[in-house]
Amino acid sequence: MSQDSAAYAGLDMLAAGVLVADAQGGIRYANAAAEHLLDTSLKALSRQSLTTLFANPAELSALCAQALATPTADFRQDLVLERAGRDPLHVHATVSAPQGGEELVVELRENVQQLKLDREERLLDQSQANKELIRNLAHEIKNPLGGIRGAAQLLELELPPLHLAQLREYTQVIIKEADRLQTLVDRLLAPHRRPHIVGDVNIHEVLERVRSLILAEFPQGLTIRRDYDASLPEFRGDKEQLIQTVLNIAHNAAQALSARIAQGDAEIVLRTRVARQVTLAKVRYGLALDLHIIDNGPGISPQIRDHIFYPLVSGRDGGSGLGLTLAQTFVHQHQGVIECESRPGCTDFRILLPLP
């Protein structure tokens, strides 16, 4: 172990990444958390300086200059540090210059909240783009479908009587498939057609309605456990849309639990809590509804986990892939967000909605 490594070994106990540099910015030491955060070994870091480590060092260099000028103070700032060929780092940086300004200590804490906000913004933009694409595509499909169905009906009327039964089978296939596609198109357009009817909503009434519907369809082998926070206030929203949102998620969960239902140990948990100081779609709310729909099923396939809210993406044979898309649309119409974490044995859909 080098002399510097021995002197700073205690920094390895810290969860935050810490870089120690000389007054010119040359890196002398990096603790284990910094190596992990920067995905670079101490040996490689020691050959660099604070100005060469990042592609945009100006703000960090300014903090270092302030610290060197005032060794008795700490200087803090949220930074986005860019690195060649890697994702940018969102960090809260604290820079100080102990030892009378002879060295710099740079503490980097990953800014989880900023990462979350950026991820939500990307998901919202992506969701909006998908909705516009699907809506435009549905409108383009709708008109030709009517023409295809009408032409098949006219053709059926002109069929020769001798072969009517045999040929009618083909025209009926065209008509029925056109009707099936029309139904799909109508479901794609449904969220944009139905008016948003706002009233006072008690979320537990919504959950009890969903619970009764799911248990009516799956009366054996499935337990739906309530875990409610009775202190939650009512809020303004569209009750029918929220029922449909929770029902789509819970129904998907029940279908994914088919094996466990057969064993008799399938469980869905409906959990409500209050979340405080929550940022939703760049707006800060003092209170929010924190709703979880949790099942003990096999989990969502990794191949579709990042795309489950996309239209026409389904993890089940015969699924339309519209249930979660519709749920996401309704949640967004309530200025909320919906997210999912899944692993074998636990899938957790979380809905955050602003409260008054």
Side-chain angles (χ1 to χ4, degrees):
M1 180 181 287
S2 69
Q3 184 177 352
D4 280 343
S5 295
Y8 302 125
L11 296 176
D12 280 334
M13 303 296 292
L14 299 178
V18 178
L19 299 172
V20 180
D22 58 33
Q24 289 71 44
I27 297 173
R28 292 179 177 174
Y29 182 77
N31 70 347
E35 289 182 279
H36 177 73
L37 179 66
L38 299 171
D39 194 23
T40 308
S41 68
L42 172 58
K43 184 176 180 180
L45 288 169
S46 63
R47 294 195 294 265
Q48 300 192 61
S49 69
L50 296 174
T51 55
T52 61
L53 185 57
F54 304 108
N56 58 335
E59 290 181 310
L60 181 58
S61 296
L63 283 181
C64 293
Q66 289 176 301
L68 289 170
T70 314
T72 57
D74 295 341
F75 295 86
R76 305 168 186 269
Q77 188 174 335
D78 288 334
L79 302 176
V80 180
L81 300 174
E82 297 177 357
R83 301 170 296 166
R86 300 180 185 178
D87 293 335
L89 281 174
H90 295 263
V91 297
H92 180 74
T94 302
V95 181
S96 59
Q99 309 296 333
E102 294 181 4
E103 66 181 16
L104 290 162
V105 177
V106 180
E107 179 183 333
L108 302 175
R109 291 181 180 272
E110 197 164 14
N111 195 332
V112 177
Q113 181 64 22
Q114 185 60 48
L115 288 172
K116 184 174 182 292
L117 289 174
D118 289 345
R119 180 175 178 273
E120 286 180 1
E121 185 176 353
R122 286 197 306 272
L123 289 174
L124 285 171
D125 291 343
Q126 197 173 55
S127 171
Q128 188 59 38
N130 284 331
K131 289 192 190 80
E132 289 299 320
L133 173 63
I134 291 297
R135 184 166 58 177
N136 293 336
L137 184 60
H139 278 298
E140 291 298 319
I141 293 172
K142 189 176 178 63
N143 292 333
L145 270 182
I148 292 170
R149 190 184 195 284
Q153 288 176 314
L154 292 173
L155 180 62
E156 189 171 284
L157 294 175
E158 299 296 326
L159 293 177
L162 184 61
H163 302 290
L164 178 60
Q166 180 184 359
L167 297 178
R168 188 173 183 272
E169 179 181 346
Y170 301 133
T171 57
Q172 283 299 305
V173 168
I174 298 172
I175 292 169
K176 289 177 181 178
E177 287 302 295
D179 288 342
R180 185 178 64 82
L181 288 174
Q182 181 66 57
T183 300
L184 179 61
V185 168
D186 288 340
R187 290 185 65 189
L188 288 169
L189 294 173
H192 309 283
R193 289 175 170 172
R194 186 179 180 277
H196 191 46
I197 303 171
V198 176
D200 290 332
V201 176
N202 182 320
I203 192 60
H204 298 131
E205 291 179 0
V206 170
L207 297 179
E208 286 300 297
R209 174 77 177 278
V210 171
R211 183 176 183 274
S212 63
L213 290 171
I214 296 296
L215 289 178
E217 185 175 349
F218 302 90
Q220 303 293 328
L222 173 63
T223 300
I224 300 184
R225 181 160 59 87
R226 307 175 179 95
D227 184 5
Y228 297 163
D229 182 346
S231 68
L232 278 165
E234 291 189 347
F235 59 95
R236 302 289 290 174
D238 187 321
K239 185 175 181 180
E240 293 304 316
Q241 283 190 358
L242 293 173
I243 289 173
Q244 190 65 56
T245 296
V246 179
L247 181 60
N248 286 358
I249 297 170
H251 193 264
N252 280 359
Q255 291 179 322
L257 287 166
S258 57
R260 302 202 74 144
I261 289 175
Q263 297 172 11
D265 61 352
E267 181 181 68
I268 295 174
V269 180
L270 303 176
R271 177 180 298 157
T272 59
R273 293 291 187 270
V274 172
R276 302 181 186 278
Q277 300 304 320
V278 174
T279 301
L280 304 173
K282 298 183 180 181
V283 179
R284 190 75 169 173
Y285 296 95
L287 292 177
L289 164 66
D290 189 0
L291 168 62
H292 292 258
I293 303 156
I294 307 167
D295 70 72
N296 63 342
I300 299 170
S301 167
Q303 285 75 23
I304 64 168
R305 193 173 296 160
D306 294 334
H307 313 293
I308 55 172
F309 295 109
Y310 288 12
L312 308 180
V313 173
S314 176
R316 177 173 54 87
D317 290 341
S320 67
L322 295 177
L324 292 180
T325 302
L326 192 62
Q328 185 187 59
T329 298
F330 289 156
V331 169
H332 288 173
Q333 287 178 0
H334 285 80
Q335 287 75 54
V337 297
I338 180 172
E339 52 195 27
C340 175
E341 293 185 3
S342 183
R343 64 180 188 276
C346 181
T347 296
D348 182 358
F349 279 88
R350 184 190 192 198
I351 297 173
L352 286 166
L353 299 176
L355 290 175

